[in-house]
Amino acid sequence: MPFLGQDWRSPGQSWVKTADGWTRFLDEKSGGYVGDISSFCKKDDHNKENLFNSLNYDVAAKKRKKDLLNNKAKTQYFHQEKWIYVHKGSTKERHGYCTLGEAFNRLDFSSAILDSRRFNYVVRLLELIAKSQLTSLSGIAQKNYMNILEKVVQKVLEDQQNIRLIRELLQTLYTSLCTLVQRVGKSVLVGNINMWVHRMESILHWQQQLNNIQITRPAFKGTTLTDLPLCLQLNIMQRLSDGRDLVSLGQVAPNLQVLSEDRLLWKKLCQYHFTDRQIRKRLILSDKGHLDWKKMYFKLIRCYPRKEQYGDTLQLCRHCHILSWKGTDHPCTANNPETCSTSLSPQDFINLFRF
């Protein structure tokens, strides 16, 4: 209708239905002319022009707003595509794997634990994952993690070696799982809660088995450590990188107890693991006024990380960007493949998959 949106009840105006439709007439009191259709049309044209301009402004404003939103969406999409590119460039293209879980599954750590040179490396990696990366593993990777851990425990039970190392690993994992199970409402674990409770029970069972180990002496009779000259005994003890091993070795025999208290032995151990600055901050004097290197060592390990030492490590080829175990050749196209390999510590390996 022609009066749609207009106040047809305004004083001095009247609407009459004609053959051409509804027409507005102005009374004489209103200052208009009766039947002056041209004045109405001109006014209506003016209103239409204003309305058209207003609509154009609204359309232009909406278009600008839409374009702005589209530009933002394109920018976000560009950043997302760029992130995907970087994500792929730093995993699939560089390392051959997408996530830490995928690398953990495909690098075959199960067979690596059978190699004594790689055993400590795998155990350290399991410990780091238990501390902070367990929730980043997929369900399959977490299952594989527990399977590898079970094989590690079985190997220690059979060989009766590295008992303390695995005890610490199991304790770290159990502590982490206790924290994660309490937060199960936040979906921090993959799988049913009963499955994780069963796994925690398995960890407790493994800990009990390790505590019940009775180390048997070898059956053969031959030369023992105490049969060697004192200089050779001291030379062997200097090759131990863990002070707790020195303490345990000193409890075997009285003469080894004397050697295990050697100040020079503990001094070299401190200098091997820690910097001079770290040592100066933790100086401890004995009753005789000398530096007590043994007490300093155990104080330093509570404050600073020790130097890690492994017989074999994972290697990253800087040319091919491929991960492989040390000594495992891969078809590298570099002129000098030996110079392109970089040794990765367990922490360096985990850092490869952090974004």
Side-chain angles (χ1 to χ4, degrees):
M1 297 180 65
F3 55 84
L4 188 63
Q6 303 292 333
D7 187 5
W8 57 275
R9 295 169 297 178
S10 299
Q13 299 181 5
S14 62
W15 292 85
V16 178
K17 185 175 183 181
T18 62
D20 297 331
W22 288 88
T23 304
R24 183 178 63 174
F25 290 90
L26 300 178
D27 296 338
E28 293 181 356
K29 296 180 181 180
S30 62
Y33 300 93
V34 177
D36 189 3
I37 304 298
S38 60
S39 62
F40 164 73
C41 292
K42 290 180 180 179
K43 185 177 181 180
D44 193 53
D45 289 340
H46 177 72
N47 292 335
K48 287 183 179 179
E49 184 178 358
N50 292 337
L51 180 61
F52 179 77
N53 292 335
S54 178
L55 289 175
N56 285 342
Y57 175 81
D58 292 339
V59 171
K62 290 180 179 180
K63 188 175 184 302
R64 287 194 300 270
K65 184 177 180 180
K66 185 177 180 180
D67 292 340
L68 180 62
L69 294 176
N70 289 337
N71 289 335
K72 288 183 178 180
K74 289 179 181 179
T75 304
Q76 293 175 356
Y77 180 77
F78 169 77
H79 288 307
Q80 184 179 8
E81 288 294 313
K82 183 178 180 182
W83 180 87
I84 292 174
Y85 171 76
V86 173
H87 175 73
K88 291 182 177 179
S90 59
T91 53
K92 277 192 178 284
E93 296 177 6
R94 290 177 59 85
H95 314 308
Y97 310 104
C98 283
T99 61
L100 174 63
E102 184 179 351
F104 186 78
N105 289 336
R106 295 177 57 186
L107 282 174
D108 195 13
F109 289 104
S110 298
S111 59
I113 62 176
L114 301 178
D115 191 335
S116 58
R117 299 172 304 170
R118 302 171 182 173
F119 182 83
N120 289 350
Y121 186 95
V122 176
V123 171
R124 177 57 177 168
L125 182 60
L126 294 176
E127 183 180 4
L128 291 176
I129 292 176
K131 286 182 177 179
S132 60
Q133 299 297 318
L134 192 61
T135 55
S136 66
L137 301 181
S138 63
I140 296 177
Q142 291 177 356
K143 182 178 180 181
N144 188 32
Y145 178 95
M146 296 302 298
N147 292 336
I148 294 175
L149 182 60
E150 183 178 7
K151 293 180 180 179
V152 168
V153 174
Q154 294 302 322
K155 178 176 174 58
V156 172
L157 292 175
E158 294 174 2
D159 300 342
Q160 296 185 346
Q161 298 178 5
N162 301 304
I163 298 175
R164 184 179 64 244
L165 187 65
I166 306 307
R167 282 177 180 170
E168 294 174 354
L169 168 60
L170 293 178
Q171 184 59 40
T172 300
L173 178 60
Y174 187 81
T175 303
S176 298
L177 287 180
C178 287
T179 304
L180 295 175
V181 168
Q182 293 173 357
R183 299 170 54 195
V184 69
K186 298 182 180 181
S187 302
V188 294
L189 289 173
V190 179
N192 189 281
I193 184 63
N194 295 328
M195 176 185 65
W196 284 102
V197 172
H198 174 71
R199 289 174 176 174
M200 294 176 67
E201 293 175 352
S202 298
I203 295 174
L204 293 176
H205 177 65
W206 293 336
Q207 288 178 326
Q208 187 63 36
Q209 287 182 309
L210 293 175
N211 292 333
N212 295 334
I213 287 182
Q214 297 293 332
I215 299 178
T216 57
R217 292 181 177 273
F220 66 92
K221 297 292 183 178
T223 303
T224 62
L225 178 61
T226 55
D227 296 331
L228 298 174
L230 293 179
C231 60
L232 292 180
Q233 294 180 26
L234 187 60
N235 191 311
I236 293 174
M237 298 177 74
Q238 288 176 352
R239 299 179 184 273
L240 299 177
S241 60
D242 194 333
R244 293 171 298 180
D245 293 334
L246 286 177
V247 175
S248 300
L249 188 59
Q251 298 172 354
V252 175
N255 57 336
L256 294 178
Q257 170 67 27
V258 175
L259 291 178
S260 65
E261 298 293 334
D262 184 75
R263 292 182 61 253
L264 182 60
L265 183 65
W266 288 99
K267 178 181 179 180
K268 290 184 177 180
L269 194 60
C270 289
Q271 292 175 343
Y272 173 76
H273 286 288
F274 310 105
T275 64
D276 293 339
R277 183 178 181 182
Q278 292 173 341
I279 293 174
R280 287 195 299 268
K281 289 183 177 181
R282 300 292 185 270
L283 295 178
I284 299 177
L285 296 178
S286 64
D287 297 336
K288 297 181 180 180
H290 302 295
L291 291 176
D292 194 333
W293 291 100
K294 182 178 179 180
K295 290 184 178 179
M296 287 171 56
Y297 170 81
F298 287 105
K299 187 174 183 179
L300 286 166
I301 62 175
R302 293 193 297 267
C303 301
Y304 309 105
R306 292 176 298 175
K307 183 184 295 185
E308 298 180 1
Q309 185 178 15
Y310 306 102
D312 195 3
T313 61
L314 283 172
Q315 302 285 317
L316 173 64
C317 179
R318 297 190 301 271
H319 180 76
C320 303
H321 304 292
I322 294 178
L323 287 169
S324 61
W325 286 104
K326 186 178 181 180
T328 304
D329 296 331
H330 68 276
C332 184
T333 58
N335 295 330
N336 297 318
E338 297 80 8
T339 61
C340 298
S341 296
T342 303
S343 252
L344 297 178
S345 68
Q347 186 62 61
D348 293 335
F349 172 76
I350 292 178
N351 292 341
L352 289 177
F353 303 93
R354 287 181 175 177
F355 307 103

